[in-house]
Amino acid sequence: MDAATGTEVTERVLACLDLDRVVELVQEVCRIPSVLGEEGPLANYLASVMRASAFDDVALQPVLPDRPNAIGEVRFGPGRRVVLTGHMDTKPVSHGWEVTEPFSGALIDGSVYGHGVMDMKAALVCQIVAIEAVRTSGLPVSGTLAMAAVSDHMGEQRGSIAYFDKYSADLCLLGELTDNEVCLGHRGRYYFDVTTLGRSAHTCHKASAINANVLAAQAVLALDASKYEPELEPWVVDLFGPETFVVPGRVYGGLPPGGPSMIPDECVIRVDCRPQPGVTIEQVRAEIDRCLEGAARADPRFRAEVVLADVKRGYLADPDDEVVGLLRTAVREVRGEEPTLRVENWLGDTASFGDRVPTVIFGPGGPPVYCPDEHLTVEEIHEATKVYAAFAALALSGPAAG
């Protein structure tokens, strides 16, 4: 599509956006708690919004008990299927709110306040309103625009897995927070459980025991000292930096509080590894083994078992991919300047479907997130909605969409 046609498409769809409506809906979703495990009420609300807007095939797709996906689509005839998606679940509420309450959805000094408004309640609403605008515009587009608000992102990403296992997609836009810049991808996440093995005894018989927590302390120090820099293509290093992060996270050792006195013979360290795209499980496991060898040198009693507990792959789109080009055009048409290309260190749902669907990431908001008085400016909300609408219209326009 040439620049003139792209401009015409963008102008027509932007003229049909109801920006007051999108802000009102953002306020409403901020009033509905959806902490991980409690996505049901928000799913019901989003489905009701799509239903009232006459989306096709609106449904609550089963994922987990009382934790469905909210899905719907708008069809414009034959052509490719373009999915706009994002997650409904949030982390727990932060302490220390002062400007307003976490679920007030208050509009104060040009910003909407609400827990999870950046990650990523606002983006979900922006996507729905953007799809509405494409339909209202009457543009000669062809294909399908699908909306998938998914659950369990903060868990095992079962919402995204369920959706993309059932529904096809030719292109996808994920609405994670990127400060309204074009994001090519993100790191992966490998969880390893390192279990240190000691010898138990009553606390009164300390000399007979080998305290697994003490062994774990050596492992924690060795793992924390990791500065692993795998061999990667220079352009990947330029985007993500050279280091694969290896971090000893949660530690489980000893008996629960209130239990009997006993020196523990087992302690589990959850090692949270964040590899750049292209770094293998085997490479990271080798780095963990190297660290544990250091712990063994520090304490000859050291013994440990290592288990791979979970794998979420990194994702990286090529800057020349069509889906990236469409989003870059949309941002350029809306903002009047070439967008920045970036990557993120957090984990997106693209870990579970990016290998099947060409995807680009874009959304309002950025660090700090999940902090007291979390808020998004109306300007950011408006811009994201405009970009989503332009992207959606462009994706279903022209020969490639037919």
Side-chain angles (χ1 to χ4, degrees):
M1 178 178 298
D2 59 40
T5 305
T7 299
E8 179 180 287
V9 167
T10 301
E11 288 177 348
R12 283 185 60 177
V13 74
L14 295 190
C16 296
L17 276 174
D18 189 339
L19 296 177
D20 290 337
R21 169 176 161 78
V22 75
V23 173
E24 292 169 0
L25 289 175
V26 170
Q27 290 182 270
E28 286 300 316
V29 295
C30 286
R31 294 172 181 140
I32 304 172
S34 59
V35 175
L36 176 67
E38 303 172 2
E39 299 96 326
L42 181 56
N44 278 290
Y45 178 76
L46 292 173
S48 72
V49 171
M50 288 187 280
R51 199 172 291 114
S53 188
F55 276 47
D56 302 311
D57 295 338
V58 176
L60 294 172
Q61 182 191 14
V63 178
L64 293 161
D66 300 317
R67 301 174 60 192
N69 293 336
I71 64 174
E73 55 190 51
V74 175
R75 303 189 190 99
F76 300 91
R80 59 186 175 187
R81 197 164 186 277
V82 178
V83 176
L84 277 62
T85 187
H87 63 82
M88 296 178 289
D89 52 312
T90 73
K91 297 182 187 294
V93 177
S94 304
H95 295 291
W97 281 70
E98 295 179 354
V99 174
T100 185
E101 296 298 316
F103 298 110
S104 70
L107 180 59
I108 301 173
D109 295 332
S111 293
V112 177
Y113 282 72
H115 174 71
V117 65
M118 289 195 284
D119 193 22
M120 46 175 290
K121 290 184 174 184
L124 296 171
V125 168
C126 296
Q127 291 173 338
I128 291 173
V129 174
I131 293 172
E132 292 174 347
V134 176
R135 181 181 57 193
T136 304
S137 72
L139 283 163
V141 297
S142 189
T144 297
L145 293 176
M147 177 68 205
V150 301
S151 61
D152 197 49
H153 163 74
M154 309 285 181
E156 300 301 321
Q157 301 189 347
R158 283 170 285 198
S160 283
I161 292 168
Y163 183 81
F164 286 99
D165 277 352
K166 183 172 182 179
Y167 296 97
S168 64
D170 297 294
L171 298 175
C172 180
L173 192 156
L174 173 63
E176 284 283 6
L177 61 163
T178 67
D179 285 316
N180 280 351
E181 296 294 352
V182 178
C183 177
L184 300 176
H186 52 77
R187 289 176 182 253
R189 184 188 72 199
Y190 302 157
Y191 281 159
F192 289 87
D193 284 343
V194 174
T195 303
T196 58
L197 304 172
R199 184 168 61 240
S200 63
H202 191 285
T203 306
C204 295
H205 304 144
K206 179 180 177 181
S208 301
I210 299 175
N211 192 328
N213 289 351
V214 173
L215 302 181
Q218 295 292 351
V220 166
L221 291 171
L223 290 162
D224 187 62
S226 171
K227 302 292 181 186
Y228 180 48
E229 297 185 0
E231 185 174 341
L232 292 166
E233 294 185 34
W235 73 283
V236 177
V237 174
D238 289 342
L239 287 170
F240 288 95
E243 183 179 352
T244 289
F245 304 130
V246 176
V247 178
R250 291 170 289 180
V251 180
Y252 308 82
L255 296 174
S261 300
M262 181 175 168
I263 296 173
D265 59 359
E266 181 177 289
C267 183
V268 182
I269 307 161
R270 170 60 59 89
V271 186
D272 186 348
C273 307
R274 300 299 172 115
Q276 305 94 322
V279 179
T280 67
I281 296 168
E282 292 75 19
Q283 286 176 292
V284 178
R285 171 61 194 268
E287 171 63 8
I288 290 173
D289 288 343
R290 186 195 66 78
C291 293
L292 297 183
E293 289 169 4
R297 288 193 297 270
D299 189 334
R301 304 173 302 167
F302 185 87
R303 289 192 305 134
E305 296 174 347
V306 182
V307 174
L308 178 64
D310 186 54
V311 174
K312 293 289 185 291
R313 302 288 184 182
Y315 176 75
L316 185 58
D318 190 296
D320 295 326
D321 285 351
E322 182 196 9
V323 69
V324 176
L326 287 167
L327 183 59
R328 292 175 73 173
T329 299
V331 175
R332 187 169 57 248
E333 294 289 343
V334 168
R335 194 181 292 164
E337 61 184 35
E338 189 66 32
T340 301
L341 298 182
R342 62 191 289 177
V343 295
E344 298 286 353
N345 288 323
W346 41 248
L347 185 74
D349 275 317
T350 11
S352 294
F353 66 81
D355 59 336
R356 291 180 280 171
V357 184
T359 302
V360 67
I361 307 170
F362 180 95
V369 65
Y370 291 117
C371 57
D373 299 320
E374 182 179 345
H375 61 278
L376 266 180
T377 66
V378 168
E379 182 181 5
E380 291 175 279
I381 294 168
H382 284 178
E383 183 178 68
T385 311
K386 292 175 182 178
V387 170
Y388 291 152
F391 170 85
L394 291 166
L396 295 192
S397 299

